[in-house]
Amino acid sequence: MTDRADRPGHADQPEHPDQPEHPDRADRAGLSGPADRAGHDSTAAPSDLAGLAADAYVYGYPLVFDLSMVQAALHEGFGSLPSASFNEFAHSSQLATPDARFVSVNNDTVYSIAQLDLSGGPLLLHVPDTLGAYFVLQFVDAWTNNFAYVGRRATGTAETKWLIVPPGWAGETPEGMTGVIDAPTAVVSVVGRFACAGPADLPRVHGLQKRLTLKVLEAVMHHTWLPSTDPDVPEPLHFFEKLRVWMAAFPPAADDCAYQDRFQPLQLLEEGPSPYAHAAPELVQALTEGLRRGAARVEKASRTGEGGGRAPGAWDMNPHLFDYNLDWFGAGTVDSPEWRIADRTSSYLTRAVAARIGLWGNHGYEAVYAHTSEDADGHWLNGSRSYTLRFDSPPPVQSFWSVTMYDSPDYYLVANPADRYSVGDRTPGLVYGDDGSLTLHIQKDRPADPAEAANWLPAPDGDFRPMLRLYTPEQAVLDGSYVIPPITPKREPGTA
C-alpha cells in the first residue's frame, strides 16, 4: 500500500521500527551513508557485534515491519479498512483518508486487502470481471517480495479463478482454475486496489468487492495468529526477538538462509526459549546499539536530500525500488534481469528502504512512485511557504496519474478543510492553460484565485513530502527519459 508499524508489535497503531530523524538520499540499489552498497556497516570490524546487529536490522526490518502490519490488519484495521481474520478480505468503503495511519497510503484506489494463512492448505480466489476498469491484486510474501500480480496489466480484466498454494504443496489443481499462484511463505498479503474516480464511482467498486472472494480448498484448520514471541524479553530487544521467531517461522529463499548464518553470534538462529529473556549485558548492549545504527542507516537512505549529484528539487523516482525479489516470479511478474538487482547482498538495504517509504508498493512496471522533500531552490518543502508544480504536458502513463500530499517524517495523508488529499488527471474541475499545461498550487491555505483553488493541493503546517504516482507508466518513465518538473516556491511581488 505504499503504503504505521512503529516499534513493531505495539498493540496500538503500529509505526516504523525504531526510526530516528531525517535521513538523506537513496540511490538505485545500494544507497549511501555509513553503510556500503550492500547495506553493511563498512566501519565495523567483523568482531563488532553492534555492527553485525545493525546488518541484521537492515536485513530483518522488512520482515518485522511487514508482519507487524499483518498483525494490525488482523486485529485493528487501517482507517476505513476494517480488521479481518486470516483468509478473509477486508474492504475499504471509501478512498483513504488521514485516519488510515499507513505509510504513503494512496488516495486513487479503494483497497481490498486479505492476509492469507496457507498453513492448512491452498485457497481458492475468485476475481470478478471489472469490464476494463483498472485494478490490481498484488501478492506479497512475509519478506515483502512481490511474487505475483492479477489485474488489468498482468492478466486482463475478465473473470478469473486462482489456486493459491503454500510452499512445498504438491496436490492436484481443481478443474476450472485460471492458474496456480505459488506462495513463498505460509503467510501472504493480498493487496487489492480498485481504481475509483470519486464518491460517485464507489457503488461500482463496492459491487466488485462483494464478488472478490476467498475460499479454503479443504476443510482443514488454519491458524488465526502469528507465531508469538517471549513476553519476558525486555522492550529494547523486542525487534530482535520478533526477527528471531518470525525468521524461523517464515524461512526465505535458500541463498538468503545462507546469508542469515552470519547472525549466529547474535543468537538470532536459536530456536525454543528466547535467548533474549535473560541475555548477557554485552549482548544487550550490542543489540541495542546495533538497532540504533541499523535504524539510522535505513532512515538516512530513505529520504531525498541534498548532494548525490542531483539538481535541487529533483524528484526521487526509482522504477526499480522493488526489484529486490530475486527468487519468486509468479503470475503477472516480469522475470528478466532488468527487474532484478544484480547483487543479492546489495538488495537488502534497498528492500528495507522500500518497506520504510512504501510498504506493499508495486514493481515499476505496474506503478512508479516519485517523491521529493525539497523545492527547486534546494530548501525543504514546508507549509510555511507556497509552491507551484507545472506540468507542460501530462505525465506519460497508460492508466492514470496523481500527486498525493504526505506529512514528514511519518508519510501520512494530511488532514485539511477541503478533504482533498491528492490531485491528478481524474480530478474534476482542474483548470488547464491554453497551451495544455497544468499548474498545481501547493500550499496550506486555499488560494483566493478560483482557478488556483481548482488546482490546489493542500499542505500541512510543517515539512511535507508529495508523491507522484504513475499507474502503468510508459517506457519514458521506466528508462528515465521523462523528467518530473521541480516544485517551485512562489515569489512575493517585487522579489527576485
Side-chain angles (χ1 to χ4, degrees):
M1 251 158 106
T2 161
D3 309 320
R4 197 164 139 128
D6 195 20
R7 297 165 169 93
H10 281 204
D12 55 359
Q13 294 173 326
E15 297 173 349
H16 308 289
D18 303 285
Q19 61 188 33
E21 63 272 12
H22 300 270
D24 273 342
R25 170 188 313 277
D27 66 27
R28 158 72 169 85
L31 314 138
S32 61
D36 61 25
R37 292 179 64 87
H40 298 310
D41 187 343
S42 56
T43 66
S47 60
D48 180 5
L49 280 184
L52 188 62
D55 291 345
Y57 181 95
V58 172
Y59 174 80
Y61 174 93
L63 176 70
V64 176
F65 192 7
D66 178 89
L67 294 181
S68 297
M69 297 311 295
V70 170
Q71 284 184 325
L74 295 173
H75 303 294
E76 302 161 29
F78 310 110
S80 67
L81 192 75
S83 62
S85 301
F86 271 125
N87 304 332
E88 296 179 3
F89 273 104
H91 300 295
S92 288
S93 59
Q94 62 186 42
L95 291 167
T97 59
D99 62 352
R101 308 296 278 178
F102 198 106
V103 59
S104 301
V105 65
N106 87 58
N107 185 244
D108 304 309
T109 64
V110 177
Y111 284 104
S112 292
I113 296 181
Q115 309 303 332
L116 310 187
D117 170 57
L118 300 169
S119 60
L123 298 173
L124 297 168
L125 170 67
H126 171 259
V127 182
D129 188 342
T130 68
L131 302 177
Y134 179 86
F135 82 101
V136 61
L137 299 178
Q138 170 194 1
F139 295 77
V140 190
D141 74 7
W143 291 88
T144 72
N145 293 303
N146 297 328
F147 66 90
Y149 293 92
V150 171
R152 188 169 78 175
R153 176 202 60 82
T155 58
T157 62
E159 177 184 17
T160 55
K161 298 178 181 179
W162 301 87
L163 185 69
I164 309 170
V165 304
W169 185 79
E172 294 187 5
T173 303
E175 294 184 3
M177 294 292 103
T178 305
V180 177
I181 296 175
D182 292 283
T185 54
V187 166
V188 165
S189 299
V190 181
V191 185
R193 301 170 176 89
F194 291 94
C196 181
D201 196 28
L202 283 171
R204 177 191 65 84
V205 174
H206 293 164
L208 294 172
Q209 290 175 318
K210 289 179 181 178
R211 300 195 299 277
L212 178 68
T213 60
L214 284 164
K215 185 172 67 174
V216 297
L217 180 61
E218 300 174 350
V220 178
M221 179 67 70
H222 287 250
H223 292 158
T224 57
W225 61 87
L226 290 172
S228 59
T229 55
D230 191 326
D232 293 330
V233 171
E235 192 277 335
L237 303 186
H238 281 182
F239 174 88
F240 291 104
E241 172 66 357
K242 292 177 187 295
L243 179 57
R244 181 189 72 86
V245 172
W246 291 343
M247 198 163 62
F250 307 106
D255 287 343
D256 291 335
C257 285
Y259 178 83
Q260 290 176 176
D261 288 345
R262 64 195 299 268
F263 300 137
Q264 180 61 57
L266 302 174
Q267 302 188 29
L268 275 171
L269 307 184
E270 298 295 320
E271 299 182 0
S274 175
Y276 305 134
H278 305 286
E282 296 80 4
L283 180 59
V284 173
Q285 181 179 357
L287 292 173
T288 303
E289 173 61 17
L291 186 146
R292 186 195 65 79
R293 289 191 205 174
R297 190 185 306 168
V298 172
E299 191 70 13
K300 181 178 179 64
S302 297
R303 280 181 57 112
T304 301
E306 299 181 3
R310 296 190 178 182
W315 292 68
D316 187 357
M317 183 175 68
N318 185 358
H320 299 283
L321 182 60
F322 295 91
D323 290 4
Y324 50 80
N325 173 21
L326 307 179
D327 303 285
W328 319 106
F329 297 94
T333 61
V334 178
D335 183 7
S336 72
E338 177 188 1
W339 296 102
R340 291 195 300 269
I341 293 175
D343 180 71
R344 179 177 297 271
T345 309
S346 295
S347 73
Y348 298 142
L349 183 57
T350 304
R351 182 175 67 180
V353 168
R356 169 65 183 96
I357 68 174
L359 183 69
W360 301 346
N362 294 286
H363 276 99
Y365 46 76
E366 184 68 43
V368 167
Y369 316 97
H371 60 89
T372 185
S373 297
E374 63 181 27
D375 63 24
D377 295 336
H379 300 135
W380 290 110
L381 296 170
N382 188 278
S384 64
R385 303 189 70 180
S386 299
Y387 307 88
T388 59
L389 173 59
R390 175 187 165 89
F391 295 99
D392 291 335
S393 59
V397 294
Q398 297 178 28
S399 295
F400 56 95
W401 65 269
S402 70
V403 181
T404 307
M405 177 60 68
Y406 299 100
D407 65 12
S408 183
D410 292 323
Y411 309 153
Y412 299 149
L413 292 175
V414 174
N416 63 87
D419 292 331
R420 175 180 276 193
Y421 312 110
S422 65
V423 175
D425 56 2
R426 301 174 303 152
T427 301
L430 290 179
V431 177
Y432 290 81
D434 294 338
D435 59 356
S437 64
L438 176 66
T439 300
L440 304 186
H441 295 267
I442 304 173
Q443 57 192 66
K444 181 178 183 296
D445 298 321
R446 179 190 297 271
D449 181 271
E452 294 185 4
N455 297 359
W456 176 42
L457 180 60
D461 289 316
D463 290 349
F464 60 85
R465 187 198 71 163
M467 179 178 286
L468 173 65
R469 285 183 170 85
L470 306 166
Y471 291 88
T472 323
E474 298 280 7
Q475 184 60 31
V477 174
L478 300 180
D479 64 22
S481 58
Y482 172 69
V483 178
I484 307 169
I487 295 175
T488 303
K490 289 185 179 181
R491 310 295 183 186
E492 295 295 333
T495 62

